[in-house]
Amino acid sequence: MQYLFSTENHIHLIDRLGNYVDKYPIKLRAKATAPLSLFDYNKDKNYRIVIPCSDNNVYLYDADGDIVKGWEFETTENVVRTEIMHYFISGDDYIAFHDDYKAYFINRKGESRHEFLTSFSFSNNRMYFDYSYSTPRFVTTDNHGVLRFFYPDGRQDSLKLEDYSENHFFALKDIDSDGRNDYVFLDNDKLQVFNRNEKMIFTYNLESDADFEPVFYSFPRNQIKIGIVCSSVNKIFLINSDGTLF
């Protein structure tokens, strides 16, 4: 077991005794603009490390820290500021991410499956894939908190639930354990969860603004709880799936 993480200028791989693995740290060719992602396409430990950088390149490394040959992705039009995600859909790989105005869906070689140049600005939230919807689709938010949907067949759609600030956090998670994903918004000092029917499951008002995206924990009996950090009051909150404080 090792610890893999990135900083602005390097990729680090450290063993459990605190020693660097051979060839690490790897110096990046430009400053990282988002966290690295680790992919194992075939679940055979043939790992790939992908990281977006300030030169608008998305770099792909193998586990030895070498650039992967055959990676054909060119460059993004703007900086990528969110974690890059990988999904396996109906036998096909989809590596999904966005920059400020454009959504990218590529295969494991970096070849484009779909690209969407939008008229809006994306938020700094990652791209999720909602398997639980009747027609599976990718989902993220724009900088006003409007839900933006992208379908593998090239269609787009949107849904506005409420107004949110540019700094809101968004996550897709089955909070009420009904088998369908819910929409989780954390904006300043307010946590809100909506179900698929656009009905609010709960709202929770925090004591101060949240600092980081919410973290989800699975408890016994299929219970989901939401962890939130509010550093200005030196508190960590754990919220039940019905909106009460644990």
Side-chain angles (χ1 to χ4, degrees):
M1 298 294 292
Q2 293 100 24
Y3 300 99
L4 176 71
F5 60 96
S6 57
T7 53
E8 191 174 61
N9 296 299
H10 293 86
I11 298 174
H12 304 264
L13 185 61
I14 297 173
D15 67 23
R16 66 179 72 194
L17 297 178
N19 301 310
Y20 273 108
V21 174
D22 288 347
K23 296 187 178 181
Y24 286 85
I26 303 299
K27 184 172 177 56
L28 296 170
R29 300 188 177 189
K31 290 185 177 181
T33 56
L36 65 76
S37 301
L38 182 69
F39 301 154
D40 184 4
Y41 299 122
N42 300 319
K43 309 301 181 186
D44 57 1
K45 298 185 178 181
N46 184 22
Y47 294 111
R48 293 292 183 262
I49 302 167
V50 61
I51 188 166
C53 292
S54 60
D55 58 359
N56 290 2
N57 272 296
V58 175
Y59 291 99
L60 188 71
Y61 296 84
D62 61 22
D64 293 324
D66 297 320
I67 293 288
V68 174
K69 296 179 180 179
W71 176 247
E72 298 182 9
F73 186 76
E74 295 179 354
T75 59
T76 56
E77 294 190 8
N78 295 280
V79 169
V80 175
R81 307 179 193 279
T82 62
E83 181 182 357
I84 295 174
M85 309 300 293
H86 170 258
Y87 301 101
F88 196 63
I89 305 168
S90 301
D92 294 322
D93 291 291
Y94 281 80
I95 297 173
F97 57 97
H98 60 79
D99 58 24
D100 290 340
Y101 298 100
K102 192 172 184 178
Y104 303 83
F105 301 92
I106 60 179
N107 64 19
R108 67 176 67 181
K109 293 182 179 180
E111 300 166 330
S112 177
R113 293 193 182 278
H114 295 289
E115 292 184 354
F116 297 87
L117 183 59
T118 67
S119 59
F120 55 83
S121 177
F122 283 101
S123 68
N124 288 334
N125 292 294
R126 72 189 71 172
M127 188 78 70
Y128 293 88
F129 186 69
D130 190 357
Y131 296 90
S132 71
Y133 191 66
S134 56
T135 303
R137 58 190 181 180
F138 297 93
V139 56
T140 188
T141 57
D142 66 21
N143 63 342
H144 296 295
V146 176
L147 292 162
R148 298 291 179 172
F149 304 107
F150 302 91
Y151 294 84
D153 64 4
R155 291 181 295 126
Q156 296 184 61
D157 202 357
S158 64
L159 173 65
K160 181 178 179 179
L161 295 172
E162 290 199 6
D163 290 315
Y164 295 99
S165 74
E166 291 186 1
N167 298 318
H168 73 274
F169 298 106
F170 167 74
L172 188 72
K173 186 73 175 179
D174 183 6
I175 299 298
D176 55 10
S177 302
D178 66 351
R180 301 194 302 175
N181 286 319
D182 304 304
Y183 306 124
V184 182
F185 289 87
L186 177 59
D187 192 21
N188 296 321
D189 61 350
K190 182 178 292 185
L191 172 68
Q192 292 182 310
V193 180
F194 297 84
N195 67 15
R196 180 61 47 74
N197 298 320
E198 305 174 32
K199 180 181 178 181
M200 186 180 294
I201 298 175
F202 71 80
T203 295
Y204 187 89
N205 292 308
L206 301 161
E207 294 182 19
S208 70
D209 291 353
D211 300 276
F212 307 102
E213 64 184 32
V215 181
F216 302 96
Y217 300 95
S218 297
F219 277 60
R221 296 186 297 279
N222 207 27
Q223 297 181 67
I224 300 296
K225 302 189 188 300
I226 306 171
I228 299 172
V229 176
C230 295
S231 61
S232 64
V233 292
N234 295 333
K235 289 186 177 181
I236 297 173
F237 293 84
L238 192 62
I239 311 301
N240 295 313
S241 58
D242 62 359
T244 58
L245 183 67
F246 180 69

